[in-house]
Amino acid sequence: MNGFARVLRASASRAQADNPNARYVRNLPAARRTAYGLALNGGPSAPGVTVTFPNGLVIGHSSTGCVAQADARLYGDYRS
């Protein structure tokens, strides 16, 4: 790891520590933290949306949850 990566990693760690949303989630009991993650990102068994890149790499995530709802509201039909 070069010097730039160390500086960036340290900066990201400080930003995460100072982030009020991250602090809120860290302080939740384990069950509530899990529920928060499911509400935000959807569940692992939820129908997903995937994209296959020309090199064969496939990425995707759930089509349910707050993030997916926000994406659909911003961009229209989620699967499109």
Side-chain angles (χ1 to χ4, degrees):
M1 177 181 347
N2 64 35
F4 292 116
R6 270 187 233 122
V7 170
L8 291 173
R9 187 168 289 156
S11 176
S13 292
R14 280 192 305 277
Q16 184 71 7
D18 293 340
N19 181 313
N21 293 321
R23 190 170 39 251
Y24 170 79
V25 173
R26 274 195 310 270
N27 290 320
L28 289 172
R32 295 286 297 155
R33 214 173 19 252
T34 299
Y36 177 93
L38 289 172
L40 186 65
N41 299 308
S45 63
V49 175
T50 60
V51 174
T52 303
F53 288 89
N55 67 359
L57 176 68
V58 178
I59 64 166
H61 62 80
S62 172
S63 60
T64 64
C66 295
V67 172
Q69 287 178 6
D71 286 347
R73 190 159 185 190
L74 285 170
Y75 305 114
D77 179 52
Y78 190 74
R79 293 193 185 278
S80 295

